[in-house]
């Protein structure tokens, strides 16, 4: 690979993820512990989460964690209610979490400022401690991903997932120990790179693609679809497994490839009826998940065993980032500089 | 049109909408008033909304109404956290609203039962007062749409929107007067049917399509995309205007038609930067919205003036329902019986 080869930044940042996770697991213990203590102190009763693009998917992951492991109701914020319509909601007892790689999106900053004025405890999760978003929040968690140069976010996504996991785990008294083997597991999964390169050839001429998962893995389905759209310019649609059966399944036929995320655990098991319906429609299905689930499919990437389901999304996305990279290159595109996009998107 | 013509049920139910709205505006005043009084009595501090498919889009509309006009934080429920992962969140001070045409989806019923056990005030909005969901809720609002026979939901969608609007308007002391002219406006908009039939011909061979809107109209973009997917089997992707600029814009080129929803009001105005970016990419853009916004576009359907923005979604969706109907017929499909779908989808 030469210095100017297409996708070299994205490839390097994908490969860097186990190191980023190791850094978070070692260097962020104290700051995340302090942030978690301040969160727990305030005993929030509702949680709101805000993010755009890739970071919205990290927020979605955290929503599941909060609902399931913290037994708190949570919602994803529509920043426009504040920035476009001027809403000033009563946010006492609310924890407001904004997630952003750059910390620079003006609508997120403004929404957070309003949330703080309205009584919420505000927490920013970013890759830039000097950013406007980090400064606007009472608490900041740095995801320590290092500078991200590829326009398609990869390492900052999984760093956001892990920082949110560690924060929420600590806030309920955990010590993050279940995450300690993640860097090793990540290295194992990244070793499927050659296999994924071959898989990319099969999608060379696909114009539409569907991704699907349930529970924690729904975030993976959404993020994989966004990566494929950003870098390969195909129409990739993510659905929760349940939503897919409510209408969009009609648009799936053997010419629309489907990528399913089926990890060990309750969310993966809940995908079984979806796999059955897809088989009835003779859909072309590729899986990322447990060995047991993949036995039902023609092809896929098997994830290591022994990973708690709530941490699987960090591993599930790796081969799908690689797929976006290799498919873009196979189509003659440079995924480091997608047409029509900048690294920091400013929306109001 | 013969009795067995393709799409006759869907066409009849689209046309029926102004009558359905008139029925709701006259016959539902007392029951909706009682429901609103019980809601207001409990003074909820947080609102959760649940729905699947089309009803999820009605829930999304209500989320914007609640955040903007009630100044309350709100979130869309992921039923799987309860039904798949067994979460039992603390829902005191929470208003839990489930929306469903049939009232029969088992996961919504179970989520609502759990929400009630966990302390939420539960409210069901359905088209079937005898349904399991209606019975599981403390409060039921009947949308009075009459039996819906087409698999693609149309009249039940706008009936849900109007019932939710009236309920939330009453709960903050309104008398629903802004909605009184809706049946008349609806009849005016439905008269564009011939024009829409012509527009459908332009999309005859489209395989991908993007819909976009902001604020209240984001619900319209989502529902339009679902209708097109269900009946025409194309890949229709909805994005909020802001999210479109964060990545997916890369996948828009002159071969991917875009439908924009740009009503009078703050949400429509906030779409102007999106229209500019689409023009830069030479996208093929069709609009539904205000005369002023449509002047910037090559084609579109102009909505009547004088409709408050929060009621526009009822009118915006009408030509897009007609588009789904006519495009399906132009492609040789029967939108009344989409392949692979049933009227009531059972997910757990």
């Amino acid at each position: 690979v030469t210095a100017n080869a297409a996708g070299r930044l994205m490839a390097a940042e994908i490969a860097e993820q186990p190191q980023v996770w190791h850094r978070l697991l070692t260097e962020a213990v104290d700051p995340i512990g302090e942030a978690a203590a301040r969160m727990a102190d305030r005993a929030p009763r509702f949680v709101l989460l805000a993010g755009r693009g890739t970071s919205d998917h990290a927020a979605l992951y955290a929503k599941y964690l909060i609902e399931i492991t913290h037994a708190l109701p949570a919602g994803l914020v529509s920043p426009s209610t504040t920035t476009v319509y001027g809403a000033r909601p009563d946010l006492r007892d609310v924890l407001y979490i904004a997630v952003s790689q750059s910390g620079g999106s003006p609508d997120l900053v403004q929404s957070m400022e309003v949330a703080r004025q309205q009584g919420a405890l505000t927490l920013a999760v970013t890759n830039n401690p000097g950013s406007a978003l980090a400064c606007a929040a009472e608490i900041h968690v740095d995801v320590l991903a290092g500078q991200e140069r590829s326009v398609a976010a990869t390492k900052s996504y999984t760093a956001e997932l892990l920082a949110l996991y560690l924060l929420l785990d600590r806030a309920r008294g955990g010590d993050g120990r279940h995450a300690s083997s993640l860097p090793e597991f990540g290295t194992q999964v990244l070793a499927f790179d050659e296999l994924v390169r071959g898989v990319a050839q099969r999608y060379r001429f696909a114009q539409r693609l569907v991704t699907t998962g349930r529970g924690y893995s729904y975030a993976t389905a959404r993020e994989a679809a966004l990566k494929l759209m950003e870098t390969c310019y195909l129409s990739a649609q993510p659905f929760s497994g349940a939503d897919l059966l409510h209408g969009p399944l009609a648009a799936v036929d053997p010419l629309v490839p489907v990528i399913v995320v089926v990890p060990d655990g309750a969310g993966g098991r809940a995908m079984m009826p979806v796999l059955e319906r897809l088989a009835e429609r003779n859909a072309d299905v590729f899986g990322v998940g447990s060995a047991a689930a993949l036995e039902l499919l023609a092809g896929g990437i098997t994830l290591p065993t022994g990973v708690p389901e709530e941490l699987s999304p960090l591993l599930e996305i790796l081969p799908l980032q690689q797929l976006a990279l290799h498919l873009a290159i196979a189509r003659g595109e440079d995924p480091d500089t997608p047409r029509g996009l900048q690294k920091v998107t400013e929306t109001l």
Side-chain angles (χ1 to χ4, degrees), chain A:
Chain A
V1 178
T2 68
N4 294 316
R8 73 183 172 84
L9 296 178
M10 188 176 175
E13 290 170 358
I14 290 172
E16 199 187 329
Q17 290 174 96
Q19 290 157 257
V20 171
W21 303 348
H22 178 74
R23 194 184 307 142
L24 256 175
L25 287 166
T26 50
E27 296 175 22
V29 173
D30 290 345
I32 285 181
E34 280 166 42
R38 290 179 65 185
M39 256 176 63
D41 246 20
R42 284 278 283 270
R45 297 194 46 210
F46 318 112
V47 183
L48 291 178
L49 297 135
R52 289 282 185 202
T54 289
S55 297
D56 191 34
H57 307 148
L60 178 63
Y61 165 75
K63 179 177 188 284
Y64 279 92
L65 267 182
I66 290 160
E67 292 182 353
I68 296 166
T69 69
H70 281 250
L72 284 176
L76 296 174
V77 168
S78 316
S80 69
T81 60
T82 301
T83 61
V84 173
Y85 294 97
R88 293 295 177 269
D90 174 3
L91 299 182
R92 288 167 300 147
D93 298 326
V94 169
L95 169 63
Y96 188 103
I97 301 178
V99 188
S100 170
Q101 191 280 129
S102 69
S105 192
D107 56 350
L108 287 186
V109 175
Q110 193 190 332
S111 291
M112 175 157 270
E113 285 167 351
V114 170
R116 192 168 173 176
Q117 285 157 18
Q118 296 302 110
L121 173 66
T122 50
L123 190 152
V125 176
T126 84
N127 195 28
N128 182 357
S131 63
L133 193 68
C135 298
E138 283 163 81
I139 308 174
H140 177 247
V141 171
D142 188 340
V143 304
L144 300 176
Q147 192 191 355
E148 191 168 57
R149 294 167 64 199
S150 174
V151 172
T154 54
K155 64 178 182 172
S156 68
Y157 174 63
T158 55
E160 287 169 357
L161 294 185
L162 183 55
L164 286 160
Y165 171 83
L166 293 172
L167 178 74
L168 291 163
D169 184 59
R170 285 291 288 274
R172 61 189 189 106
D175 59 5
R177 82 172 64 172
H178 296 296
S180 60
S181 305
L182 273 177
E184 196 184 313
F185 285 135
T187 304
Q188 281 175 38
V189 175
L190 287 170
F192 288 116
D193 191 58
E194 271 309 306
L195 178 58
V196 175
R197 196 187 297 260
V199 170
Q201 292 301 327
R202 268 200 89 222
Y203 295 126
R204 172 66 181 82
F205 298 105
Q207 290 190 40
R208 303 158 50 177
L209 192 144
V210 161
T211 64
T212 182
R214 279 198 86 172
Y216 297 111
S217 299
Y218 178 39
T220 306
R222 294 189 67 95
E223 174 60 8
L226 179 59
K227 272 322 91 158
L228 288 161
M229 275 191 286
E230 284 179 334
T231 60
C232 305
Y233 316 128
L234 48 69
S235 172
Q237 287 195 275
F239 297 102
S240 92
D243 286 331
L244 184 61
L245 303 185
H246 284 259
L249 189 72
V252 173
D253 65 26
L255 292 179
V256 180
V258 180
I259 295 175
V260 297
V261 190
V262 280
D264 256 334
R269 283 193 300 275
M271 287 295 291
M272 292 305 128
V274 180
L275 297 188
E276 283 166 26
R277 295 293 300 278
L278 288 169
E280 283 165 25
R281 297 190 66 79
N282 292 316
D284 181 276
V285 181
F286 182 83
V288 174
S290 68
L294 292 191
E295 269 182 22
L296 307 171
L297 303 176
I301 299 287
T302 306
L303 298 176
T305 54
V307 182
E309 186 184 359
E310 59 269 29
L311 285 168
S312 297
L314 281 101
L315 302 176
E316 293 157 6
I317 195 63
L318 301 179
L320 299 171
Q321 293 169 337
Q322 290 171 327
L323 180 63
L325 169 74
H326 293 310
L327 183 55
I329 294 170
R331 288 174 169 219
E333 307 286 353
D334 182 356
D336 287 337
T337 54
R339 60 189 195 203
L341 292 181
Q342 295 109 34
K343 182 69 188 159
V344 179
T345 307
E346 302 214 341
T347 47
L348 290 169

